[in-house]
Structures are given as C-alpha cells and as structure tokens.
Amino acid sequence: MAKLGKRTRAAREAVAGKENLSVDEAVALVKANATSKFDETIEIALNLGVDTRHADQMVRGVVGLPNGTGKTMRVAVFARGPKADEAKEAGADIIGAEDLMETIQGGTIEFDRCIATPDMMPIVGRLGKVLGPRNLMPNPKVGTVTMDVKAAVEAAKGGEVQFKAEKGGVVHAGVGKASFDEAKLVENVRAFISAVAKAKPSGAKGTYMKKIALSSTMGPGVTLDVAAAAGE
C-alpha cells in the first residue's frame, strides 16, 4: 500500500468520523483542507435513487450558480451568418459549422460547452457518439439548442452549470473554488442541490436523494445531512 503524504494524512484525520454535516459545516471543513498549491475546485456528488436506463428516470438540467464556478468556460457555437456574428460578439471561443464538425471528428475538442442553432442540428447530430459521452451534446432541454445564441453564450460564461445523472444515478459538478468565501460556496451548493431536487423525474421511486458528498480536487470527501441540505 502506498505511503500517504503528510498533507493527505492530515486532511483525512481532519474529516475522520465527521458525517452527515450541515452545508455550512461541510463547506468550512472541505475549504480548510484544500491546501494544495493551486486553487482547488469544490466538487459535489449526489447519489440518486434513479435507474438511468429508463427514460422516465433520467435526471438532467441546468443551474446558474449565484456566485459562478470560478472556472473560465470555453464555449463552442455551431452557427452561420448573423447568428455566428452574434456568438462572436457574446464572447464565444470557437464558431463554425461543417469545419467545426470536422475538427471535432478529428479528435480536437477544445471547449467546455457546445451551443447550436436549431438549423445546425443535422450537422451536430453526426457528433453524438463523440459529444454525448462527454455531456457536451447541445440539447434544447438545457438551453444549448437555441436561436438566442447571445443569452446562451453569456449564461455559459457567467457560471451556468449543466448536470446529468450518470450510470449508477450519480450527479456531480464543480460548485466553486477553494478561494471563494465560505458564504458564497454555501450559496452555490444550496443552489445546485435545489436544482437537482427540482429535476426529480416522474419515474423516480422511493428515496430520491440518497447521499450527498462534498470534496475538493485533492481532498477527502465529507457527507452532508441529506434532509437538511435538500430542505426537506
């Protein structure tokens, strides 16, 4: 078994035996243990009581975090003509049509969010096997297939977070940086949990939110009191 470093040991000892914390307690503990030399991301993971193999149990949505993510979001837009100009003015990093499709098919994906106008979907549709597994496929349900390109780009740049339940019913996302004030992280965590709660699918049976954990990029995770965090 690999020997743990001094920092890792100290972080694990700090959270040992601490479970089912309030959002405020969890944020304070995780932030205090984010001691790497870089600004660690604060990450949340929710274990949901859903089976994503069934369409009526799929959980997906989008939430605008009140204090942003602290991450610079690279946005790609599939658009032509005036809508391409609109995307450029809004601050999109990559804009194209067939040329962008060929770039992605060639294995180059240098963006974190992909937006498309509806008329571009026949082109974008060919990229489903590439973008789908990366949760980058434009989708009208989360506002990334739209004629309002300006609003979609600005939302992505402004701290909007998409989420989707993965195999096993787990939803995870970054909700800020360790350098954020505790109060801002707490607001972001509560906003994310609230959005996932509102996205409860019609086919969900039994307990919806089974477990919620918070961690930093390099730090150990702590569990939250689900009922309190979800406002039940």
Side-chain angles (χ1 to χ4, degrees), residues 121-172:
M121 288 312 291
I123 294 173
V124 180
R126 302 179 207 172
L127 300 169
K129 290 184 179 179
V130 181
L131 299 180
R134 294 174 171 82
N135 199 25
L136 290 172
M137 191 69 180
N139 188 307
K141 292 182 179 178
V142 293
T144 48
V145 177
T146 176
M147 288 300 289
D148 196 346
V149 173
K150 180 176 184 291
V153 172
E154 290 176 347
K157 291 282 188 178
E160 186 179 74
V161 174
Q162 292 182 8
F163 58 87
K164 179 181 178 182
E166 299 177 351
K167 188 176 180 180
V170 175
V171 169
H172 64 84

Side-chain angles (χ1 to χ4, degrees), residues 20-87:
N20 298 321
L21 305 178
S22 69
V23 174
D24 298 74
E25 290 170 335
V27 164
L29 191 55
V30 168
K31 180 175 164 64
N33 281 291
T35 56
S36 295
K37 293 181 180 178
F38 66 95
D39 193 6
E40 296 182 49
T41 296
I42 304 301
E43 301 170 353
I44 191 168
L46 296 90
N47 187 354
L48 306 177
V50 297
D51 185 343
T52 56
R53 293 174 297 179
H54 301 287
D56 66 346
Q57 293 189 47
M58 173 51 69
V59 178
R60 73 181 306 155
V62 62
V63 55
L65 297 181
N67 301 296
T69 63
K71 176 182 179 181
T72 300
M73 185 70 72
R74 299 170 300 171
V75 179
V77 177
F78 279 90
R80 287 195 180 99
K83 288 299 173 182
D85 295 337
E86 186 180 318

Side-chain angles (χ1 to χ4, degrees), residues 110-122:
E110 297 179 331
F111 52 85
D112 309 296
R113 179 73 54 86
C114 187
I115 296 165
T117 53
D119 59 299
M120 290 284 102
M121 288 312 291

